[in-house]
Amino acid sequence: MSALRRAAITGHPVAHSRSPLVHGYWLKKHGISGSYDRVDVAPEQAGDFYRNFARSGLNGANVTVPHKEVAAGSCDWLDEAAEAMGAANTLWLDEDGRLCGANTDGLGFLGNLDQLAPGWDVSRESAVVLGAGGAARAIVWALLSRNFTAVHIVNRTYEKATALVEEFGSGTVAHTWDKLGTVLGEADLLVNTTALGMTGKAPLEIDLQPLPESALVTDIVYAPLETDLLKQAAQRGHQTVDGLGMLLHQAVPGFERWFGVRPEVDDDLRNLVLADLGVTA
């Protein structure tokens, strides 16, 4: 293995990925002579690329849409989260040359809340998750790993919510959107995993009136940094956490795996990425 360790974001497209900015910041901060680049993998080439990852010249990689499932299926070993989700976003070659995969999206979600709302998971039992896509899957897994006893998945397409319940089983409950007011009444945590409220997307229009004042509200959307949901929640006195940290914290385990140093998500990194996004804090 070469002394210069190489990693990259892989997927299609990857031109707008902020991952090189994040990992480049950490490489510079820790004085590591490694590289982190972008590798666009066309969908028709994805199977061959990940099955023969050792030929890429990379020591490891992140994987973004639409290749997370293909990457997981190409691995010789998966961590518990990737196994549960059937999707991998972090890859590395072990000492025997085997391709290993992890899914760190859930860990990124937890790391963000742990940093910005310490103790957020103490004595919390009921969570409401809006949406039923890939991000929701990772967050449901994360909440169950922190022993939430009831995770309510609310989605406009009921079948997608029930599919997640079938995956995760006990502790998860599917609901149609018109039941949101009812489940909010018991919630300790509200998480938006949909794109609603994102810059250029339709707004997320919900009434927070039934939500207990003690509930924490978080949004995985980070452009704008303070979404309408977070603004409305803050005005009602709820503790809120923005979504940028999930993006940053999910990158930590991969960097540590590839470059041998566990990096920190600090204010300088947050401000660097915000500036690149053109988002004001």
Side-chain angles (χ1 to χ4, degrees):
M1 191 176 290
S2 65
L4 182 70
R5 300 186 69 80
R6 296 184 59 224
I9 177 71
T10 64
H12 182 79
V14 291
H16 302 296
S17 171
R18 266 76 190 187
S19 291
L21 186 67
V22 174
H23 291 282
Y25 169 84
W26 286 329
L27 286 169
K28 183 177 180 181
K29 180 178 179 179
H30 294 287
I32 297 170
S33 60
S35 67
Y36 187 99
D37 305 302
R38 295 180 177 89
V39 176
D40 194 306
V41 180
E44 62 273 16
Q45 297 170 350
D48 181 66
F49 177 84
Y50 294 110
R51 279 194 302 272
N52 299 290
F53 185 79
R55 297 181 192 168
S56 68
L58 299 171
N59 302 110
N62 284 125
V63 186
T64 189
V65 292
H67 299 336
K68 293 183 181 184
E69 289 80 8
V70 174
S74 303
C75 287
D76 300 300
W77 179 88
L78 293 173
D79 76 349
E80 181 187 343
E83 190 89 54
M85 287 174 249
N89 72 340
T90 304
L91 306 176
W92 68 94
L93 294 167
D94 69 9
E95 292 175 355
D96 298 319
R98 297 186 311 157
L99 183 62
C100 302
N103 192 306
T104 67
D105 287 331
L107 295 177
F109 172 78
L110 296 175
N112 186 33
L113 292 185
D114 288 343
Q115 181 179 35
L116 298 182
W120 69 274
D121 57 344
V122 176
S123 302
R124 293 190 184 273
E125 298 179 355
S126 178
V128 174
V129 176
L130 306 180
R137 179 181 281 108
I139 287 166
V140 170
W141 174 88
L143 293 173
L144 292 174
S145 78
R146 289 291 177 92
N147 300 314
F148 272 71
T149 52
V151 179
H152 299 276
I153 304 163
V154 183
N155 197 55
R156 295 194 189 282
T157 307
Y158 183 63
E159 290 73 20
K160 288 186 178 179
T162 56
L164 282 189
V165 169
E166 287 170 9
E167 272 186 54
F168 290 104
S170 178
T172 58
V173 189
H175 302 274
T176 50
W177 203 263
D178 60 334
K179 297 292 192 295
L180 178 58
T182 303
V183 296
L184 281 181
E186 300 293 323
D188 298 303
L189 173 70
L190 172 62
V191 188
N192 175 40
T193 75
T194 75
L196 296 174
M198 185 183 293
T199 302
K201 301 284 186 180
L204 174 63
E205 296 176 342
I206 64 173
D207 180 9
L208 294 181
Q209 198 60 42
L211 191 65
E213 288 182 13
S214 58
L216 172 68
V217 180
T218 186
D219 200 326
I220 71 165
V221 171
Y222 53 82
L225 191 63
E226 186 182 40
T227 61
D228 286 341
L229 172 65
L230 296 184
K231 196 175 296 182
Q232 184 185 346
Q235 286 170 351
R236 296 187 76 246
H238 295 283
Q239 184 176 17
T240 63
V241 175
D242 66 67
L244 180 61
M246 180 175 171
L247 170 74
L248 304 179
H249 280 278
Q250 64 81 28
V252 169
F255 187 92
E256 182 180 23
R257 179 73 65 175
W258 308 320
F259 301 112
V261 174
R262 186 167 183 84
E264 286 187 359
V265 174
D266 56 24
D267 288 342
D268 286 344
L269 176 59
R270 276 181 62 91
N271 292 334
L272 180 70
V273 176
L274 285 173
D276 190 66
L277 288 166
V279 177
T280 54

